[in-house]
């Protein structure tokens, strides 16, 4: 069963500076790869003169991500994108992208220094990040009599779900979105009501 997990509640940006190099970490919510890439493109637009725009994202439940990726954007292999992702893998936040924008300060940091700098920039930004819970939901379609509508709406409210669609034809067809954890409760409820059935959406 899909579990609730933490996601970014609002974008955040934090600047970490070491040896005159600036590492600006931008953290945002991303529900899929295309939205993550949109965040990256916005960062490039906002900081067009930066030397590097390194990034990593983690999509889905952080305990079992559906997708993860990173890029060092020209930095030495393993010194930028990978350390950013490594921090994400240990923070328990899903559907997240971090873009670290680097302005070179004239002093080379070395491979180890870069790893530490990108990790620190990411870590500090995420420590400032506010999160909220994403509750996975499932859509269920029910067919019943018109007399069932009011009690079904009460059921959906009690389960903290929502009515997605209602069709009034020969009988009542109602599509609801409820937390995955409540699916069995809805099935039991429908099974106990005469003239009410679950159908495929």
């Amino acid at each position: 069963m899909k579990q609730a997990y933490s996601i970014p509640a609002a974008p955040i940006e934090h600047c970490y500076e070491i040896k005159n190099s600036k590492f600006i970490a931008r953290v945002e919510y991303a529900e899929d790869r295309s939205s993550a890439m949109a965040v990256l493109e916005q960062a490039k637009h906002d900081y067009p003169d930066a030397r590097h725009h390194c990034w990593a994202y983690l999509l889905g439940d952080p305990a079992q991500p559906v997708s993860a990726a990173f890029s060092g954007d020209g930095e030495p292999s393993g010194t930028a994108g990978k350390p950013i992702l490594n921090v994400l893998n240990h923070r328990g936040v899903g559907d997240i992208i971090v873009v670290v924008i680097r302005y070179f300060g004239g002093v080379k940091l070395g491979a180890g220094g870069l790893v530490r700098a990108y990790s620190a920039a990411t870590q500090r930004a995420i420590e400032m990040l506010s999160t909220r819970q994403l509750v996975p939901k499932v859509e269920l379609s029910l067919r019943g009599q018109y007399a069932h509508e009011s009690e079904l709406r009460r059921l959906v409210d009690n389960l903290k779900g929502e009515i997605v669609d209602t069709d009034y034809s020969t009988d009542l067809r109602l599509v609801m979105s409820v937390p995955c954890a409540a699916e069995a409760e809805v099935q039991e409820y429908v099974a106990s009501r005469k003239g009410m059935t679950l159908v495929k959406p």
Side-chain angles (χ1 to χ4, degrees), residues 138-143 164 173-176 198-201:
V138 61
E139 282 195 2
L140 300 172
S141 181
L142 299 119
R143 193 176 296 278
V164 177
R173 180 178 176 276
L174 187 145
V175 180
M176 64 174 70
L198 273 174
V199 295
K200 292 184 178 180

Side-chain angles (χ1 to χ4, degrees), residues 158-180:
N158 290 339
L159 296 176
K160 301 189 185 319
E162 61 181 336
I163 304 296
V164 177
D165 187 36
T166 309
D167 178 25
Y168 302 97
S169 50
T170 53
D171 52 12
L172 173 69
R173 180 178 176 276
L174 187 145
V175 180
M176 64 174 70
S177 174
V178 297
C180 292

Side-chain angles (χ1 to χ4, degrees), residues 21-151:
S21 279
K22 291 183 179 180
F23 295 81
I24 304 167
R26 176 175 289 189
V27 187
E28 294 197 31
Y29 168 74
E31 62 182 350
D32 52 31
R33 179 177 172 82
S34 62
S35 56
M37 292 301 95
V39 172
L40 173 63
E41 289 307 310
Q42 186 61 50
K44 289 180 177 179
H45 178 269
D46 294 343
Y47 298 96
D49 57 337
R51 177 170 288 196
H52 302 283
H53 299 81
C54 306
W55 56 269
Y57 66 67
L58 196 68
L59 305 180
D61 185 340
Q64 295 180 312
V66 296
S67 179
F70 65 86
S71 169
D73 190 31
E75 290 280 36
S77 178
T79 64
K82 193 171 183 179
I84 297 171
L85 181 59
N86 186 52
V87 173
L88 292 184
N89 283 331
H90 295 89
R91 296 304 297 183
V93 181
D95 295 336
I96 185 173
I97 178 170
V98 177
V99 181
V100 180
I101 302 106
R102 184 192 179 193
Y103 284 92
F104 182 52
V107 180
K108 290 187 177 181
L109 301 178
L114 285 173
V115 170
R116 287 189 293 273
Y118 279 102
S119 298
T122 304
Q123 184 81 23
R124 293 185 183 195
I126 291 181
E127 284 173 355
M128 300 167 64
L129 181 71
S130 60
T131 62
R132 66 181 178 86
Q133 288 292 104
L134 177 71
V135 180
K137 293 187 176 182
V138 61
E139 282 195 2
L140 300 172
S141 181
L142 299 119
R143 193 176 296 278
Q145 301 168 5
Y146 289 117
H148 292 141
E149 184 175 5
S150 60
E151 63 176 299

